[in-house]
Structure formats: C-alpha cells, structure tokens
Amino acid sequence: MKRITFLLVLILILSLALTACSAPAAEEPAGEEPVAEEPAAEEPTGETEEVVFGVFEPLTGAYAAGGAMELEGIELAQELYPEVLGMPIRVVVVDNKSDKVESANAATKLVDQEKVNVVLGSWGSSFSMAAGPIVEEAGIPAIGTSCTSPLVTLGNDYYFRVTFIDSFQGVVMANYAYDVLGAEEVVIIQDISNDYAVGLAKFFKDEFIRLTGNEDSIVSIASYNTGDQDFTAQLTNIKAMNPDAIFAPGGYSETAMLVKQAKELGLEAPFLGGDAWEAAEFIEIGGEAVEGVVFSTFFDAAAPLTPESEIFINAYREKYGEDPASVTALAYDAYILAIDAIERAGSTDPEAIRDALAETVGFDGAAGVVTLDENGDAVKNAVIKTVENGEFTYLTTISPK
Amino acid sequence: MSINTFFQHLSNGLALGSLYALIAIGYTMVYGILRLINFAHGEIFMISTYVVFYGVSIFYLPWWVSIIVAIVITGLLGIIVERAAYRPLRNSPRISVMISAIGASFLIQNLAIVIFGGRPKSFPIPDYFNTVIQVQGVSVPIVNFFIPVITLVALVILIYIIEKTKTGMAMRAVSRDYETARLMGISVDNIVSITFGLGSLMAAIGGVMWGLKYPNLIPLIGLMPGLKAFIAAVIGGIGNIKGAVLGGFLLGMTEIMIIASLPNVTGYRDAFAFILLIGILIYKPSGLLGQDIGEKV
C-alpha cells in the first residue's frame, strides 16, 4: 500500500511538472488577453467602461489548426487596434472543441456570463450554426470569420460574416473544373457530417450540371465521416468510375489523408476543393500526394487586395516571420469590422452595433472589400490556389458576377 | 464490380483488418488474464505514435530508434497505468475497475491535448514505406504487406509465451484464480505487470503501424481504433488471442465491403461496427472462438 501511495504521489508530481513545462505553449491558444481587468467596475453603473469581444473558435479537436490561425488574426488586430470610442477592447476566447454541442455552450457562455458586446467566430460553418440561435435570442450581433455555409446567416438577423459564401465558392470551383480542366465527368466525395462540405458539394453539383447540361455529369457522390482515417473503399470505387476530376469538400486533415490514399491507389484525376484545405497541416500530412490540388479561398499574401491588406501582411510578417493564411486575414477583418460598426453606431449597445453592421458598404478589410448583402453575407472576390513544391501558391482571382 | 476492383477492395480490407487485429491482440490478452477491459489501451496506442513523432522531429533520433523508444516507453506506461489505476482496486467489484479504466483513458487523452496540443501532427514516414507495389492492377502500399505479417508474428510469439513458457503458465494460473496462484508461489503483482507491459507493447506496435498507414496524429487518435479493437476482440471471443485476430480481420473486411457495395450508407460506417458488436453480444456473447471457457487465456 505504501508503494502505491508513493507511486501515486510520484505520478502527480510528474504530471504537474509536465503541465508546468508545457504551460507557455498552452497559454497561447488559451489567450484570454487581460488588457483591462476590471470586471467589477462595469456592472454598477450599467455603462460599460470596456468593450468586450467574445471569440469562440476550435482550439482543440480535429480543427484546432483552423481555430489557432484565426486566433492569431484576432490577436494581431487587437495589438494594432486596442481601443474603440476611447474604451479598451477586451477579448474573451472560448474553445468550442471542434464540436457542435460545445459551440452552443461556448456561445451561451459568451452572451450570458461574459456579457460580450460582439461575438466573433467561428472557423467551421457547423460551429457557427450551432451558435446562431443563441446569439439571435440574446440579441448580440455575431460576425462570422471563415464560416461559408449560407445557412449560417440565413434567417438570422444577428449573424453577419466577412467571407463570401459556398453558393459562390461552389460556382467558382465548378467553373474551374469545366473551363480550365475541361472536365466532363466529376465525382464528389464529401464529409457527410460536415454542414459546410455537404453545402459546398450541392452548389458545385448544381452549377456543374448547369454548365455541362448533363444530369449525369456528376457520376457519383461518395461520402465519409469527420474523423475517418480510411477512405480506400470509397476511393477504389471512384477509381473504377475513371472521372475527369474529383471535388472533395471537407476538412484539411481528413482530405489530406484522402488525397494521399487516392494517390496510393493510383487515382490520377485532379482533386478540387474549398477554403477549408488551407492549413499547413494539409501539406504536412498529405506530403507529395497533395501537390497540384486546386481550391478556392479568400486571400493571398502575394496579391494584396486593399491598403488594409498591406498593414495586416506587414504586421503579421513582423510578428510571426511568415505569410498569413486566409482565415487569419478573415478573423482580423471580423475584428476590425466590429470596431468600424461600433464607431459608426457611436455606441456599444449590441442593437446599435447590429444595425450599423447591417449597413456595411465598401469596408476595406485585409481580405478584400466587404459589402454585406441583405442576408449579412459579404460579396467579394475568391482566390484560387494550388499546392506547388510543398507550398500554397496563388493561381488567380475570380470576382462575383 | 470488376475483378480488379474486387481484389483492390479485398486488399484494402485485409490491411485494415490486420491493423484492427494487431491492436485487438493486446486488448484481448489483458482481458483474458485479468478479466479487465483496459479502456486505456487506445490511449496507450496514441502515446506510442506521439513518442515516435517527437523522437524523430525533436530529438532527431533515427526512425527505427524512435520506434524502439516508443515501444519501451509505451510498455512502461502500461505498467504505470496498471499500478496507479487498477492495482489499488484489485479486490473491488469489477465495475469499479472498469470505471477506473475509463477514467485513466480520459486522463491520458486530456493530458495529451494539454501537452501535445490539439493541432494535428504528421507521423514521420521513411520514404521506403511510401512505395506502392502494383500486383495485377491492384495497388498495394508496401506497409499493407508489413501489417498482416507483423500481426501473425505477434500472434505466434504471444501464443508461444503464454503456452510454452513458465511466465505464460503463471499467467494462465493467475487468470484462473489469484489466491490459489499466490499460494502456489506465483508473484501475482509481477505477472500482472508483465501482462500489462506485453499488452501495451502490442499497442505500441499497433500504433506505429497505424501511423505508417494513417499519418494524421491527434490526441483522440486512439479512441476509434481502441473501440474497433474492442469490437474485434468481442467478435472473436474476448480473452482469446486467435479469436481477436479473426475478429479484427472480419471487422476490417466487413467495413470495407459494406462501404464498397453500399456507397449510400458510408455515413454509418462506425454504426455498422457497433451493430455487429450488439448482434454478437445478443446471439453469441462468447464470440466466435470463445466457447471453450477452460482454454480461455
């Protein structure tokens, strides 16, 4: 019994030491920036002396890389623009754990406990959609970062976003497949448990059928689940169909594995996809197999779109020593758009901010000019990228018609 | 479905099945000897993949050295988990030990999230393992040849240890009755530690093979393979090592063939595995090879 107690104590000490070692690394994603820590001062007067931006992002789980990149954008924006209307901005970050239920919990925490003025986030349409009803009911405006599914803002007066939507993205990729690749027959393989992927697949399918005028031009729609590791069965079937191209909307970690296994099975058709692929992990996991895949996204550091892009890219390079990802730019835009709306409203009242947001026209963001339409969606350009020599490479920019 | 496509599916199913079998062997061995479902098996499996990753990327160890380090560390981890989470409860009701096992599993999983971070890592693969061999129009990545061979070798070695060595005899004695085994002069604690060490070692080998085939590392990577291995073990008759291998092959093959022939239901892939588990538990709870209780080791 003594030995057991001793061992238990040893393990406890060890685990403490381990967590202590990793503390600096763990702090970064947790990142609750204590800019002005006076939580007690705000309640009695009823007038806030600080503005609170609530951020919910996947900081752990399958999409942690996406959340981490967006958080970088928000942190950078806060360093450049720490105040609005003379009040300091406090950013509260909550982890939605790459999970729909946790997203709803995260949003509830932000609106109920933290009393935020604006909600920012999230990477992943599913997570944003889970938070949608909660922000709407609380009457707190939310600005989506890279959530591209039309359903995020549809019928929700309090959800806005700084990105284009999948109906546009799907059309862009269908046109690319038809015009540039000359594809006649395409197979879709989608992550069926991911709202974003299913939506994107649908818009791609509709547009591609319209372009080819052939109902059977989408030969087959295969699917898999988030978190799957083995796609060989689906890919073997796809190989037998011999398509001209494969459209594979889904997250970067699954798709990287999927493309790798496709190449191992000798599947030569080019892979097309959406913005969710743009993460360093996509190339790290996929390796040589992902060379030549083509996807649409929001932004590229090689082609700055506005004066704000320059400010953002320079600040990012100075801080991190590399080029920013698209979603980092979008998160940055969500933050500065919130500031812009508060300034236009002249108030930190959530209702006033909402009204100002709804009237956004020609706002210069880092990832392009943002004009919000009646649904609260940004109308803006898409950028097409590929993977070349282990790096994301800019191909072209496509504007909405 | 053309002949080529069919053989490609067969080859895919064989590779996936043998991987499940490899993980299931360790699972079932621990159960066979201790009557304990070690839910932390999947987490031990996960740790082995991360040890290889950090060995190669931070300590610049040669690839094969990291694997040996991973196997050793993972074996030790298995022994530590047993001492900390299971040994204090050896005389408690079985449900307490099971809850403790689930707790150990969550603890390791969440420690991994804190220590390794949630962002996916890429398992280091030597170029050799990226080779793909074409056999009669069927593409087989070279790692798919290794996995079944390693599974069968591991099976033979474990059966040898359990049936032919003195330690194995002690293991079998412990599996029947702790008290009597102790009266016969067997150090039960040592035998239990050895069993856990061996089981974890098998998890580590499974982890390395899994990483070579699916190089996408996240702290939750052990969850699904762990459950699938559990299902494979139950199909084969939990506690029976040969049964675990059979169960693993069957499960892998069933999964691949169901997706291959019914593409519309792929979203329910994992559900099929659990339906299979429920079916086995209802109609043949002792599993396919599990009738002979007396030989259960």
Side-chain angles (χ1 to χ4, degrees), chain B residues 26-39:
Chain B
Y27 222 118
T28 212
M29 189 189 77
V30 169
Y31 179 86
I33 289 163
L34 306 174
R35 296 288 178 269
L36 158 71
I37 297 173
N38 181 16
F39 280 107

PDB file of all heavy atoms in Angstrom, chain B residues 26-39:
ATOM      1  N   GLY B  26      -3.545  -7.166 -28.047  1.00  0.00           N
ATOM      2  CA  GLY B  26      -3.153  -6.686 -26.728  1.00  0.00           C
ATOM      3  C   GLY B  26      -4.369  -6.521 -25.821  1.00  0.00           C
ATOM      4  O   GLY B  26      -4.339  -6.849 -24.628  1.00  0.00           O
ATOM      5  N   TYR B  27      -5.438  -6.013 -26.425  1.00  0.00           N
ATOM      6  CA  TYR B  27      -6.678  -5.774 -25.692  1.00  0.00           C
ATOM      7  C   TYR B  27      -7.173  -7.065 -25.049  1.00  0.00           C
ATOM      8  O   TYR B  27      -7.459  -7.167 -23.860  1.00  0.00           O
ATOM      9  CB  TYR B  27      -7.742  -5.308 -26.699  1.00  0.00           C
ATOM     10  CG  TYR B  27      -8.602  -4.173 -26.238  1.00  0.00           C
ATOM     11  CD1 TYR B  27      -8.600  -2.961 -26.906  1.00  0.00           C
ATOM     12  CD2 TYR B  27      -9.435  -4.332 -25.137  1.00  0.00           C
ATOM     13  CE1 TYR B  27      -9.394  -1.926 -26.502  1.00  0.00           C
ATOM     14  CE2 TYR B  27     -10.232  -3.299 -24.733  1.00  0.00           C
ATOM     15  CZ  TYR B  27     -10.209  -2.095 -25.414  1.00  0.00           C
ATOM     16  OH  TYR B  27     -10.994  -1.072 -25.016  1.00  0.00           O
ATOM     17  N   THR B  28      -7.252  -8.077 -25.910  1.00  0.00           N
ATOM     18  CA  THR B  28      -7.875  -9.325 -25.503  1.00  0.00           C
ATOM     19  C   THR B  28      -6.979 -10.104 -24.538  1.00  0.00           C
ATOM     20  O   THR B  28      -7.456 -10.776 -23.638  1.00  0.00           O
ATOM     21  CB  THR B  28      -8.221 -10.139 -26.766  1.00  0.00           C
ATOM     22  OG1 THR B  28      -9.382 -10.889 -26.525  1.00  0.00           O
ATOM     23  CG2 THR B  28      -7.095 -11.011 -27.217  1.00  0.00           C
ATOM     24  N   MET B  29      -5.650  -9.950 -24.706  1.00  0.00           N
ATOM     25  CA  MET B  29      -4.737 -10.672 -23.824  1.00  0.00           C
ATOM     26  C   MET B  29      -4.898 -10.184 -22.385  1.00  0.00           C
ATOM     27  O   MET B  29      -4.970 -10.975 -21.445  1.00  0.00           O
ATOM     28  CB  MET B  29      -3.308 -10.464 -24.286  1.00  0.00           C
ATOM     29  CG  MET B  29      -2.341 -11.360 -23.545  1.00  0.00           C
ATOM     30  SD  MET B  29      -0.648 -10.936 -23.903  1.00  0.00           S
ATOM     31  CE  MET B  29      -0.452  -9.497 -22.912  1.00  0.00           C
ATOM     32  N   VAL B  30      -4.958  -8.853 -22.230  1.00  0.00           N
ATOM     33  CA  VAL B  30      -5.127  -8.297 -20.894  1.00  0.00           C
ATOM     34  C   VAL B  30      -6.445  -8.776 -20.294  1.00  0.00           C
ATOM     35  O   VAL B  30      -6.509  -9.178 -19.133  1.00  0.00           O
ATOM     36  CB  VAL B  30      -5.075  -6.755 -20.942  1.00  0.00           C
ATOM     37  CG1 VAL B  30      -5.509  -6.165 -19.622  1.00  0.00           C
ATOM     38  CG2 VAL B  30      -3.680  -6.307 -21.298  1.00  0.00           C
ATOM     39  N   TYR B  31      -7.487  -8.807 -21.133  1.00  0.00           N
ATOM     40  CA  TYR B  31      -8.766  -9.272 -20.608  1.00  0.00           C
ATOM     41  C   TYR B  31      -8.691 -10.741 -20.223  1.00  0.00           C
ATOM     42  O   TYR B  31      -9.150 -11.150 -19.151  1.00  0.00           O
ATOM     43  CB  TYR B  31      -9.900  -9.071 -21.630  1.00  0.00           C
ATOM     44  CG  TYR B  31     -11.213  -9.564 -21.092  1.00  0.00           C
ATOM     45  CD1 TYR B  31     -11.994  -8.726 -20.315  1.00  0.00           C
ATOM     46  CD2 TYR B  31     -11.635 -10.863 -21.305  1.00  0.00           C
ATOM     47  CE1 TYR B  31     -13.180  -9.187 -19.771  1.00  0.00           C
ATOM     48  CE2 TYR B  31     -12.811 -11.324 -20.764  1.00  0.00           C
ATOM     49  CZ  TYR B  31     -13.585 -10.488 -19.999  1.00  0.00           C
ATOM     50  OH  TYR B  31     -14.749 -10.933 -19.450  1.00  0.00           O
ATOM     51  N   GLY B  32      -8.076 -11.536 -21.101  1.00  0.00           N
ATOM     52  CA  GLY B  32      -8.014 -12.971 -20.864  1.00  0.00           C
ATOM     53  C   GLY B  32      -7.360 -13.300 -19.537  1.00  0.00           C
ATOM     54  O   GLY B  32      -7.766 -14.227 -18.852  1.00  0.00           O
ATOM     55  N   ILE B  33      -6.354 -12.540 -19.168  1.00  0.00           N
ATOM     56  CA  ILE B  33      -5.631 -12.868 -17.947  1.00  0.00           C
ATOM     57  C   ILE B  33      -6.208 -12.169 -16.724  1.00  0.00           C
ATOM     58  O   ILE B  33      -6.264 -12.738 -15.639  1.00  0.00           O
ATOM     59  CB  ILE B  33      -4.138 -12.565 -18.156  1.00  0.00           C
ATOM     60  CG1 ILE B  33      -3.612 -13.624 -19.131  1.00  0.00           C
ATOM     61  CG2 ILE B  33      -3.365 -12.615 -16.850  1.00  0.00           C
ATOM     62  CD1 ILE B  33      -2.335 -13.291 -19.768  1.00  0.00           C
ATOM     63  N   LEU B  34      -6.652 -10.952 -16.873  1.00  0.00           N
ATOM     64  CA  LEU B  34      -7.094 -10.193 -15.692  1.00  0.00           C
ATOM     65  C   LEU B  34      -8.601 -10.010 -15.607  1.00  0.00           C
ATOM     66  O   LEU B  34      -9.090  -9.455 -14.625  1.00  0.00           O
ATOM     67  CB  LEU B  34      -6.424  -8.815 -15.687  1.00  0.00           C
ATOM     68  CG  LEU B  34      -4.911  -8.863 -15.798  1.00  0.00           C
ATOM     69  CD1 LEU B  34      -4.363  -7.471 -15.938  1.00  0.00           C
ATOM     70  CD2 LEU B  34      -4.321  -9.562 -14.598  1.00  0.00           C
ATOM     71  N   ARG B  35      -9.325 -10.426 -16.650  1.00  0.00           N
ATOM     72  CA  ARG B  35     -10.775 -10.183 -16.672  1.00  0.00           C
ATOM     73  C   ARG B  35     -11.066  -8.695 -16.525  1.00  0.00           C
ATOM     74  O   ARG B  35     -11.972  -8.284 -15.806  1.00  0.00           O
ATOM     75  CB  ARG B  35     -11.494 -10.959 -15.559  1.00  0.00           C
ATOM     76  CG  ARG B  35     -11.403 -12.452 -15.698  1.00  0.00           C
ATOM     77  CD  ARG B  35     -12.265 -12.943 -16.851  1.00  0.00           C
ATOM     78  NE  ARG B  35     -12.158 -14.386 -17.029  1.00  0.00           N
ATOM     79  CZ  ARG B  35     -11.281 -14.983 -17.820  1.00  0.00           C
ATOM     80  NH1 ARG B  35     -10.429 -14.270 -18.524  1.00  0.00           N
ATOM     81  NH2 ARG B  35     -11.253 -16.287 -17.953  1.00  0.00           N
ATOM     82  N   LEU B  36     -10.239  -7.875 -17.178  1.00  0.00           N
ATOM     83  CA  LEU B  36     -10.398  -6.429 -17.067  1.00  0.00           C
ATOM     84  C   LEU B  36     -10.361  -5.842 -18.469  1.00  0.00           C
ATOM     85  O   LEU B  36      -9.415  -6.108 -19.234  1.00  0.00           O
ATOM     86  CB  LEU B  36      -9.251  -5.843 -16.234  1.00  0.00           C
ATOM     87  CG  LEU B  36      -8.981  -4.362 -16.467  1.00  0.00           C
ATOM     88  CD1 LEU B  36     -10.102  -3.523 -15.892  1.00  0.00           C
ATOM     89  CD2 LEU B  36      -7.664  -3.965 -15.860  1.00  0.00           C
ATOM     90  N   ILE B  37     -11.393  -5.065 -18.817  1.00  0.00           N
ATOM     91  CA  ILE B  37     -11.376  -4.387 -20.108  1.00  0.00           C
ATOM     92  C   ILE B  37     -10.561  -3.113 -19.941  1.00  0.00           C
ATOM     93  O   ILE B  37     -10.960  -2.190 -19.248  1.00  0.00           O
ATOM     94  CB  ILE B  37     -12.808  -4.074 -20.579  1.00  0.00           C
ATOM     95  CG1 ILE B  37     -13.553  -5.386 -20.790  1.00  0.00           C
ATOM     96  CG2 ILE B  37     -12.781  -3.277 -21.856  1.00  0.00           C
ATOM     97  CD1 ILE B  37     -15.007  -5.212 -21.089  1.00  0.00           C
ATOM     98  N   ASN B  38      -9.394  -3.112 -20.565  1.00  0.00           N
ATOM     99  CA  ASN B  38      -8.483  -1.983 -20.393  1.00  0.00           C
ATOM    100  C   ASN B  38      -8.829  -0.877 -21.380  1.00  0.00           C
ATOM    101  O   ASN B  38      -8.282  -0.815 -22.474  1.00  0.00           O
ATOM    102  CB  ASN B  38      -7.050  -2.475 -20.597  1.00  0.00           C
ATOM    103  CG  ASN B  38      -6.051  -1.366 -20.417  1.00  0.00           C
ATOM    104  OD1 ASN B  38      -6.378  -0.325 -19.856  1.00  0.00           O
ATOM    105  ND2 ASN B  38      -4.840  -1.572 -20.891  1.00  0.00           N
ATOM    106  N   PHE B  39      -9.752   0.004 -20.969  1.00  0.00           N
ATOM    107  CA  PHE B  39     -10.182   1.056 -21.887  1.00  0.00           C
ATOM    108  C   PHE B  39      -9.062   2.019 -22.236  1.00  0.00           C
ATOM    109  O   PHE B  39      -9.173   2.775 -23.186  1.00  0.00           O
ATOM    110  CB  PHE B  39     -11.378   1.814 -21.313  1.00  0.00           C
ATOM    111  CG  PHE B  39     -12.667   1.090 -21.504  1.00  0.00           C
ATOM    112  CD1 PHE B  39     -13.297   0.473 -20.447  1.00  0.00           C
ATOM    113  CD2 PHE B  39     -13.231   0.997 -22.756  1.00  0.00           C
ATOM    114  CE1 PHE B  39     -14.475  -0.215 -20.627  1.00  0.00           C
ATOM    115  CE2 PHE B  39     -14.410   0.300 -22.953  1.00  0.00           C
ATOM    116  CZ  PHE B  39     -15.040  -0.300 -21.882  1.00  0.00           C
TER     117      PHE B  39
END
